[in-house]
Amino acid sequence: MDTLDTDILIVGGGVAGLVAALTFAADGHSVLCVDPARPITDGQKDGADLRSTAYLQPACALFKEIGLWPLLEPHATRLDVMRLIDAGGTENVPRQTSDFAAHEIDQDSFGVNLLNWVMRRTLMEAFETSSATLHAPDRVTRITTRLDGVRVRLASGTQVRAKLLVGADGRNSFVREH
């Protein structure tokens, strides 16, 4: 049975987990990210996430700080106007619409919009040159806390010793539950 030692173990290989792993690695920590499946990184494949996500300026600043921005910028669509639509009520039709422009608060933009599969593909590309490691497919089956950190067993039989455990494993989080 293999035993891996790392500073930080991140459970969950979605956007949040991958960005956290790259951020900690950029800060000099040894990082292992575990996910049950590799993210789909091609928008044309069945099951690809064709949604997009808005990343506001603080996220863009982080992407720049950890070196992701040059990879993301060619795919980013600026968010210059934010439109809020009140469409509640029994008729479920727009009742009121308000637009806010970034220049009204002395900003060039509120942030950017990126396709989810493009973001995941870019994050996986960044992993190739990062000191962070992605261990997938695999999943956590047991968590044991200790004074000096945490011991985790993976379905593959691998044991991981980490100083910090980060749960980025979604709505039905195994980490949060345990």
Side-chain angles (χ1 to χ4, degrees):
M1 180 178 331
D2 290 338
T3 300
L4 302 174
D5 288 300
T6 189
D7 292 335
I8 301 167
L9 172 61
I10 298 173
V11 178
V15 170
L18 295 175
V19 169
L22 291 168
T23 302
F24 285 126
D27 198 39
H29 299 281
S30 62
V31 182
L32 176 66
C33 183
V34 175
D35 194 67
R38 281 198 172 270
I40 295 173
T41 58
D42 182 349
Q44 302 305 311
K45 292 185 180 175
D46 290 339
D49 187 351
L50 299 178
R51 298 171 299 165
S52 65
T53 299
Y55 296 93
L56 300 181
Q57 286 298 345
C60 295
L62 175 66
F63 298 155
K64 289 173 186 172
E65 183 180 330
I66 64 173
L68 279 177
W69 188 244
L71 301 171
L72 293 172
E73 186 176 25
H75 309 286
T77 302
R78 288 169 39 109
L79 299 173
D80 298 330
V81 175
M82 190 178 304
R83 175 172 286 162
L84 302 179
I85 302 172
D86 179 358
T90 57
E91 296 167 14
N92 200 24
V93 296
R95 296 182 296 199
Q96 184 174 359
T97 301
S98 297
D99 288 347
F100 301 92
H103 68 80
E104 294 173 340
I105 58 169
D106 295 324
Q107 297 291 318
D108 290 335
S109 72
F110 290 111
V112 298
N113 201 55
L114 288 159
L115 289 168
N116 291 352
W117 73 267
V118 169
M119 183 66 169
R120 289 183 175 183
R121 180 190 66 197
T122 303
L123 292 170
M124 293 306 297
E125 288 172 6
F127 256 80
E128 293 174 12
T129 58
S130 168
S131 63
T133 303
L134 179 63
H135 194 82
D138 211 342
R139 63 182 175 78
V140 174
T141 60
R142 186 174 67 192
I143 299 170
T144 306
T145 56
R146 296 284 185 250
L147 291 176
D148 63 344
V150 64
R151 308 294 185 267
V152 173
R153 180 179 300 258
L154 304 179
S156 64
T158 300
Q159 292 191 56
V160 181
R161 289 188 296 241
K163 297 173 188 171
L164 175 67
L165 174 65
V166 175
D169 50 339
R171 180 178 311 148
N172 300 314
S173 171
F174 182 87
V175 172
R176 182 175 46 245
E177 184 180 317
H178 290 86

